[in-house]
Each structure stands twice: as C-alpha cells, then as structure tokens.
Amino acid sequence: CATYWERSKRLGVADKNGFIRIFDEKRHECYLSVDGRISTDRRPFGYAAYSIFEDSKRQIWIGCKPGGLFRLMPISAGYKVTRYLPNNQEPYAINSEAVYDIQETGNGRILIATYGGGLNIAEQQIDGQMKFINCNNLLKNYPKQGLRSRCLCLTNDGTVLLGTNDGLYTTVLKGPYERMRFYVNNRRPNDASSISNNYVMRILATDGDNYYACTSEIGRASCRERV
C-alpha cells in the first residue's frame, strides 16, 4: 500500500493486510502497532495504510482506508498516537476515513486527499488539537464533484494540484479559506490539449517545473506534462 523513508534512515513498508514493517539501516525488521509501539514480534497495525508521511516536525502521518488518519509523535518508547475520524458533532473534524495522500506546505499545514471528502487542510491549534478545513466548513467553493480525491502535489510557487475522479483541481492557499477558488481541468473530447481522462491517479513533479498527471480508465493509462 505505502512506503516511507524517515530522516532517522528507517524504511517503512505497509501492506493491505494491515501490517507496517520498519527496517533499520542493517535491514533488521520490526513491526509498528496501532498503539505506537515498535516490536520485533509480528504485530499488525490493524488498518491498511494508503499513505505514510513524515512532516517537518518529525511527526509521522498515516492515512488509511478505512480507518482514518493517524498522527504519530516520537517518544522514547516509540510513538504517541492520535487518531482522527469523521464526527458529525464536530464541525472541524476530518470528513472522510479513507485517506489516500498527505503532503505538507511550507508553513506547516498538512494537506490531505480523502476519498469521499475531497481536500482537507489540517492546522495545529495552540492547545495541540488539529482543526480540519474542508468542504463541510470553510472551503465553501470546493466542487462537490471532486469529493473522491486520490493524490496531491505542491508546485514550487505554492499551487496545490489535487487529483480526483473528476479531473485535476488546482488552487492556491492564499487569503481566507472561504474565498479559495478551485480550477477544474476536465476531459474535453473535442480538445486535444485537455487532460486525457478525469481519473487522476498520481501526480509527479520533476526538474524544470514539469508536472505529470497519470490518468486511468479501463484498460488504459496516460500522462500529461506541465499541468
């Protein structure tokens, strides 16, 4: 499902059976459990991790489907784990428990692509709690057709590229959230310069400010340059 490389030079590998294996520089194998412990015993994490991301504070974010979002803060005995799930009683809760991709902006905001809730923007509050901005609260202009999002990419100028089942969305994190605009790049059959398919599965950034969007449909996949 997902892999990640820590700055401590440990490699993490997750599978769809709910295990997260951790390998050190000498390829010693350990297992991460859902309570944050790292053990040589074969213990499952318990949820299929689709995305694992280490932020600038060395916190590990794990996005699962299903299972929601986990934040792991390093402590002496492993990690302190906090789990985030949708909650209809909490207006600033994450709005989907299917998390596909996670990225971080230059000012420390965590961007989350969810399959069912679209883009979520997580901000840590003074008390340490997380506030999730999404279409259920402040992202008033987020297109409802793009709730099934899969991948994220940040350009060098701060533009957010979001791959969805409705095409490629772009936005800029400036100004009030209520005024954020989302530009939709859809497939237009009569326009050869449009994206080849609305199902955007992955976005890759390369040198020279080139960005490739991998799209998919039954029996075919394709890429576009400089989106």
Side-chain angles (χ1 to χ4, degrees):
C1 283
T3 60
Y4 75 105
W5 178 256
E6 287 188 58
R7 277 172 282 177
S8 58
K9 297 185 178 180
R10 293 192 299 191
L11 173 67
V13 180
D15 62 38
K16 288 189 176 181
N17 294 319
F19 287 90
I20 299 179
R21 295 171 173 84
I22 298 176
F23 300 88
D24 63 17
E25 290 182 275
K26 297 182 179 180
R27 297 188 179 180
H28 294 149
E29 183 181 61
C30 296
Y31 291 83
L32 175 66
S33 61
V34 74
D35 60 4
R37 288 182 290 178
I38 298 175
S39 172
T40 55
D41 297 333
R42 191 174 185 273
R43 297 181 178 178
F45 184 75
Y47 301 93
Y50 274 52
S51 181
I52 306 177
F53 179 80
E54 182 182 20
D55 68 17
S56 58
K57 299 177 182 177
R58 305 193 73 173
Q59 300 177 123
I60 305 294
W61 297 84
I62 302 177
C64 300
K65 178 192 175 182
L69 179 69
F70 294 82
R71 178 174 62 156
L72 281 64
M73 302 174 65
I75 56 177
S76 58
Y79 298 95
K80 176 184 176 182
V81 180
T82 306
R83 184 182 181 190
Y84 303 99
L85 288 168
N87 182 352
N88 292 332
Q89 305 303 314
E90 172 50 60
Y92 289 99
I94 193 170
N95 65 349
S96 172
E97 63 173 298
V99 176
Y100 271 55
D101 201 4
I102 305 167
Q103 297 290 326
E104 182 181 16
T105 68
N107 61 358
R109 286 181 286 188
I110 303 297
L111 305 182
I112 304 154
T114 73
Y115 197 81
L119 177 66
N120 279 248
I121 305 169
E123 294 184 344
Q124 185 166 331
Q125 306 301 294
I126 296 176
D127 61 1
Q129 299 296 310
M130 299 303 301
K131 180 178 181 180
F132 294 88
I133 311 300
N134 53 55
C135 63
N136 290 351
N137 44 66
L138 300 183
L139 292 187
K140 306 294 186 182
N141 296 317
Y142 187 84
K144 299 299 183 181
Q145 298 87 345
L147 295 180
R148 291 179 291 178
S149 60
R150 296 177 179 271
C151 55
L152 283 160
C153 184
L154 289 171
T155 70
N156 291 331
D157 66 0
T159 299
V160 179
L161 307 180
L162 179 69
T164 78
N165 281 10
D166 184 50
L168 180 67
Y169 290 8
T170 60
T171 189
V172 179
L173 297 174
K174 291 183 180 179
Y177 288 120
E178 297 91 335
R179 296 183 183 178
M180 281 177 57
R181 298 293 178 183
F182 292 85
Y183 299 91
V184 181
N185 297 277
N186 287 127
R187 169 64 178 157
R188 299 185 297 275
N190 297 322
D191 185 353
S193 65
S194 72
I195 196 166
S196 58
N197 187 267
N198 284 341
Y199 283 73
V200 179
M201 310 299 290
R202 185 59 56 190
I203 305 168
L204 174 67
T206 65
D207 294 337
D209 286 337
N210 288 325
Y211 299 89
Y212 292 81
C214 180
T215 68
S216 176
E217 61 180 322
I218 298 175
R220 185 172 67 182
S222 59
C223 294
R224 289 288 180 183
E225 182 180 359
R226 296 191 66 84
V227 295

